């Protein structure tokens, strides 16, 4: 997508794309402790950035001077890079994180993963799977909210109304995925 095509794309929008991106970022930064319901009464008030890849046993091992490579998929970057994600160094405290557990549960539940040497025990493997499943559930919820926004923008003709059907179909699939993930999460809980 050359400079002319970027301008043409932006001219067709009846809303500032950076406003859309700002809203979408909110959806992917909500805070929730994804522990089983029976543990919710033990939540601390502060939600932390939980690592899907354990920081101590894995990220530190592949880091160079405390940083690892990560892809940037935000609207601004994709527009500037002509649709290609940008790869850049990110600090290990930020890499592979989501706002999915409170400080209390993140430290207690994942203690064997974060504070002990990774030996591939059944418990450690379960905890990796539990955290990955929790992250996927978190992302799927965010994606459904994002699709609701795009559907609304298509209906109001602030973006191409022809995209509305595509977003509706994507939402239908995302809701099915959310249903299945929720079912598996209950099994893990």
């Amino acid at each position: 997508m050359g400079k002319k095509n970027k301008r043409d794309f932006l001219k067709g929008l009846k809303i500032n794309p950076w406003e859309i991106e700002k809203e979408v970022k909110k959806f992917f930064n909500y805070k929730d402790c994804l522990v089983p319901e029976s543990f919710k009464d033990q939540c601390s008030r502060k939600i932390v950035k939980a690592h899907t890849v354990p920081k101590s046993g894995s990220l530190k091992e592949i880091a160079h001077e405390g940083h690892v490579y990560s892809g940037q998929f935000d609207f601004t970057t994709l527009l500037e890079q002509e649709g290609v994600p940008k790869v850049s160094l990110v600090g290990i405290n930020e890499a592979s994180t989501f706002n999915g557990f409170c400080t209390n549960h993140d430290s207690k539940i994942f203690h064997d993963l974060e504070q002990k040497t990774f030996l591939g025990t059944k418990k450690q493997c379960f905890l990796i799977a539990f955290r990955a499943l929790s992250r996927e559930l978190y992302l799927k919820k965010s994606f459904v909210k994002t699709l609701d926004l795009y559907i609304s923008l298509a209906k109001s003709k602030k973006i191409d109304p022809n995209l509305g059907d595509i977003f509706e179909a994507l939402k239908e699939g995302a809701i099915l995925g959310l249903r299945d993930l929720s079912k598996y999460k209950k099994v893990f809980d």
Side-chain angles (χ1 to χ4, degrees):
M1 184 185 304
K3 285 185 182 186
K4 182 180 185 292
N5 290 340
K6 283 185 211 175
R7 280 193 304 262
D8 291 344
F9 171 74
L10 293 175
K11 274 196 307 191
L13 295 176
K14 294 182 176 103
I15 187 170
N16 183 329
W18 288 270
E19 287 177 32
I20 298 171
E21 182 177 17
K22 188 177 173 183
E23 287 300 309
V24 168
K25 281 184 179 181
K26 286 182 196 174
F27 298 145
F28 285 88
N29 284 309
Y30 76 95
K31 296 179 179 185
D32 189 15
C33 189
L34 297 170
V35 293
E37 286 301 318
S38 59
F39 292 173
K40 289 278 188 182
D41 63 331
Q42 303 164 14
C43 284
S44 60
R45 293 180 189 215
K46 184 173 183 198
I47 301 293
V48 294
K49 291 187 175 207
H51 285 85
T52 52
V53 177
K55 185 168 83 169
S56 58
S58 300
L59 285 176
K60 283 183 179 178
E61 296 297 318
I62 62 170
H64 177 70
E65 296 179 0
H67 292 79
V68 293
Y69 284 100
S70 180
Q72 293 176 312
F73 301 92
D74 58 282
F75 177 78
T76 305
T77 301
L78 292 174
L79 193 62
E80 289 170 356
Q81 298 284 119
E82 299 184 3
V84 178
K86 183 179 179 181
V87 177
S88 60
L89 286 171
V90 176
I92 60 172
N93 289 333
E94 297 296 316
S96 183
T97 61
F98 69 110
N99 298 319
F101 293 97
C102 70
T103 53
N104 182 40
H105 288 118
D106 190 59
S107 63
K108 285 183 181 175
I109 292 172
F110 299 104
H111 179 269
D112 285 8
L113 204 51
E114 294 291 347
Q115 302 302 319
K116 294 184 178 180
T117 302
F118 185 76
L119 300 172
T121 65
K122 287 182 182 181
K123 184 174 184 179
Q124 287 176 322
C125 291
F126 172 83
L127 291 172
I128 287 174
F130 178 69
R131 197 182 262 169
L133 180 64
S134 297
R135 180 176 185 266
E136 193 59 33
L137 183 67
Y138 177 94
L139 292 175
K140 194 68 72 182
K141 287 179 182 179
S142 301
F143 186 55
V144 169
K145 290 177 188 174
T146 300
L147 291 170
D148 284 337
L149 171 67
Y150 286 132
I151 290 165
S152 169
L153 291 171
K155 285 181 181 175
S156 67
K157 299 182 179 166
K158 291 182 179 177
I159 62 173
D160 185 346
N162 296 318
L163 295 173
D165 290 340
I166 294 169
F167 294 133
E168 290 280 359
L170 284 170
K171 182 181 174 185
E172 194 174 311
I175 287 172
L176 290 174
L178 189 55
R179 179 201 65 194
D180 292 348
L181 285 167
S182 296
K183 181 177 78 175
Y184 292 119
K185 175 77 167 50
K186 285 181 182 175
V187 172
F188 272 68
D189 287 351

